[in-house]
Every structure is written in structure tokens, then in C-alpha cells.
């Protein structure tokens, strides 16, 4: 049960947030008015430290009961890249890590289990109002943080590398925590296509590099963003059926489950 002091503090915060939102909305109105993987090398190739990061297998998921652990592998991929979303260009995304497991099922079919997606927030250039202060920083910051959208299939048929779904958490001091692009049943469906061939950076441990891109996905409007939702969508140019793209420069490694601690 809230104390009287807590209720007053909560009420004060709501009033302050509402006042800030109203002020920002008014400011916004004023502004508006104005190919297949190459075979590994015959001998180990030493990778440069920047090309072969230390990988964490802590997000490797448990594999199905009854499968051969030596035939199942956990893959850990790290990537940086660029994002075009609606009318906004984000030239350098914060590093992202994707973990999943795959291998043969007892009946011979292909099995796969999702692990995790981890990535930090990336600041949208210009912030929420495309206005900067004296130090050159946005007056009202705006960031996007990637999250797993709930569906993946790295064995999907076609020329793509498979698919996974994303949502982007929209973050700003003036936005509620629930503000998101691709929430609910409408995540961004990413189907990456390789750009060029794969490159083995190391064989012990195995480290493989590749570039990939998807410029076919659609981006829905941001939702659950409170009274500033229209401003967020206008700022990002959402919804956008075309013009979106995601490019990756990635490296990945893997271990078979007989070499990993029991999940």
C-alpha cells in the first residue's frame, strides 16, 4: 500500500511528465510550422583481435530431449550495421548478439531452438525534435533498442539466410517504457541476404565473417507511446511500407553441445 508521501511523489511525477509532454508537443508544433559458405582453410588462420571477439555461450538454449549433443551446435553471432527506418538513417547501430541452436532431430528432421537477442540502444541522430544544444547534443534524446520479435526460422526455404523478427523499443525521457515499433502481432520480419561470400577468420576457435542485408521489410507505426506518439511517428516517418533496410557486418562462432556445460 502506498504511503501518503509516496502518493504525493507519484502524483508529482505524473504532473511533471504531463507538463513536459505538453510543452514538447507545443514545441513540436512550432517546429513543424517552421552465396554458400566457403570451405575452411586447411590450416588455422590467426584472426586479428578486433575481428575475433570473445564469445559468450551463456545464452545457448537447452536442446530437445533425445537428440545427439555432438550433432547439435550453438551458434553465437555478433553484428554491427546500419538501419534505414522510415525517414531516418542510423549509420551505426550498437553491437547486437544473436544466439540459437540447431541440429538433427531423432526422426531426421531439422531442429532449431531460439536462444537470445541482446543489443544496446542506438541514438537517433537529431533526437526527438532535431534540435541540438550548445554541446551539439539533442535537446530531447531518442534511441532505438532491438528486441526479439518472437519468431525465427534459420532453415526457411529460399535464398535468404532464414528469418527472425525484431521490434525496436523507442526510448526517451519523455516517452513511456511501452513505446515500441513492431509490438504485438506486427514485428519487423527480417530476411537477410548474404552480400558476397563468407570469410574464415579462424578455425580454432571457428570464427566466420560475412555481410548481409535486407531492404524488403515493412515498418509499422510506433505504438503505446502516450501523448507524444504522433510526434514519434512523424519524426521517424512511420509507418513505412518501403525504403527500410538493415545491413549487417557480422561474425559468428559455434560449439557442439557435447563441449558445452549441461543446460
Amino acid at each position: 500500500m502506498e504511503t501518503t508521501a509516496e502518493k504525493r511523489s507519484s502524483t508529482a511525477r505524473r504532473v511533471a511528465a504531463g507538463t513536459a509532454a505538453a510543452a514538447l508537443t507545443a514545441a513540436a508544433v512550432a517546429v513543424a510550422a517552421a552465396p554458400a559458405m566457403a570451405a575452411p582453410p586447411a590450416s588455422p588462420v590467426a584472426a586479428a583481435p578486433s575481428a575475433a571477439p570473445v564469445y559468450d555461450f551463456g545464452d545457448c538454449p537447452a536442446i530437445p530431449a533425445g537428440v545427439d549433443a555432438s550433432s547439435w551446435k550453438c551458434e553465437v553471432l555478433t553484428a554491427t550495421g546500419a538501419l534505414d527506418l522510415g525517414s531516418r538513417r542510423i549509420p551505426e547501430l550498437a553491437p547486437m548478439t544473436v544466439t540459437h541452436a540447431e541440429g538433427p532431430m531423432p526422426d531426421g528432421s531439422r531442429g532449431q531452438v531460439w536462444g537470445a537477442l541482446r543489443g544496446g540502444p542506438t541514438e537517433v541522430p537529431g533526437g526527438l525534435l532535431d534540435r541540438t544544444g550548445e554541446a551539439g547534443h539533442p535537446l530531447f534524446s531518442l534511441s532505438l533498442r532491438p528486441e526479439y520479435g518472437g519468431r525465427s526460422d534459420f532453415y526457411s526455404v529460399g535464398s535468404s539466410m532464414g528469418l527472425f523478427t525484431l521490434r525496436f523499443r523507442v526510448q526517451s525521457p519523455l516517452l513511456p517504457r511501452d513505446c515500441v515499433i513492431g509490438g504485438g502481432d506486427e514485428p519487423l520480419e527480417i530476411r537477410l541476404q548474404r552480400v558476397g561470400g563468407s570469410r574464415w577468420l579462424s578455425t580454432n576457435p571457428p570464427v566466420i565473417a560475412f555481410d548481409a542485408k535486407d531492404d524488403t521489410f515493412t515498418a509499422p507505426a510506433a505504438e503505446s507511446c502516450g501523448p507524444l506518439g504522433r510526434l514519434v511517428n512523424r519524426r521517424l516517418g512511420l509507418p513505412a511500407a518501403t525504403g527500410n533496410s538493415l545491413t549487417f557486418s557480422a561474425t559468428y562462432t559455434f560449439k557442439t553441445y557435447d563441449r558445452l556445460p549441461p543446460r
Side-chain angles (χ1 to χ4, degrees):
M1 178 179 298
E2 289 186 320
T3 64
T4 301
E6 289 172 334
K7 289 180 179 178
R8 290 174 177 172
S9 176
S10 177
T11 301
R13 286 196 300 270
R14 290 196 298 269
V15 170
T19 301
L24 182 56
T25 302
V29 171
V31 170
M37 185 191 308
S43 59
V45 177
S50 61
V54 175
Y55 290 92
D56 182 359
F57 288 86
D59 283 331
C60 293
I63 56 178
V67 300
D68 180 4
S70 66
S71 298
W72 272 71
K73 62 182 180 180
C74 179
E75 295 189 358
V76 181
L77 177 149
T78 62
T80 57
L83 174 68
D84 289 295
L85 189 69
S87 61
R88 292 292 118 189
R89 168 75 173 172
I90 300 177
E92 187 173 353
L93 289 170
M96 181 188 308
T97 301
V98 174
T99 305
H100 83 286
E102 60 182 47
M105 298 296 290
D107 63 2
S109 61
R110 292 174 166 182
Q112 53 188 321
V113 183
W114 176 260
L117 184 153
R118 297 184 183 274
T122 300
E123 189 171 309
V124 177
L128 197 55
L129 282 177
D130 203 14
R131 291 292 183 271
T132 57
E134 293 181 359
H137 299 294
L139 293 175
F140 299 99
S141 66
L142 182 67
S143 298
L144 301 179
R145 180 170 59 83
E147 298 177 356
Y148 179 49
R151 187 163 64 93
S152 63
D153 181 5
F154 296 103
Y155 285 139
S156 61
V157 178
S159 60
S160 72
M161 298 167 52
L163 72 88
F164 66 101
T165 56
L166 279 177
R167 62 174 57 97
F168 284 100
R169 190 68 52 182
V170 186
Q171 298 178 322
S172 175
L174 295 177
L175 295 176
R177 293 182 180 180
D178 293 338
C179 186
V180 66
I181 301 167
D185 297 328
E186 200 177 7
L188 284 66
E189 186 171 284
I190 307 300
R191 293 179 178 268
L192 291 171
Q193 306 280 340
R194 285 187 188 271
V195 178
S198 299
R199 307 175 299 282
W200 283 78
L201 304 181
S202 171
T203 58
N204 187 23
V207 179
I208 302 156
F210 67 91
D211 298 321
K213 180 178 182 177
D214 181 13
D215 57 6
T216 64
F217 63 92
T218 62
E223 58 185 55
S224 302
C225 300
L228 299 179
R230 289 186 179 180
L231 174 61
V232 170
N233 285 316
R234 187 165 62 249
R235 181 76 181 98
L236 297 175
L238 298 175
T242 60
N244 309 296
S245 72
L246 178 64
T247 59
F248 272 164
S249 291
T251 62
Y252 76 93
T253 188
F254 58 86
K255 282 186 179 181
T256 54
Y257 270 79
D258 58 337
R259 298 178 56 208
L260 291 170
R263 298 290 104 181

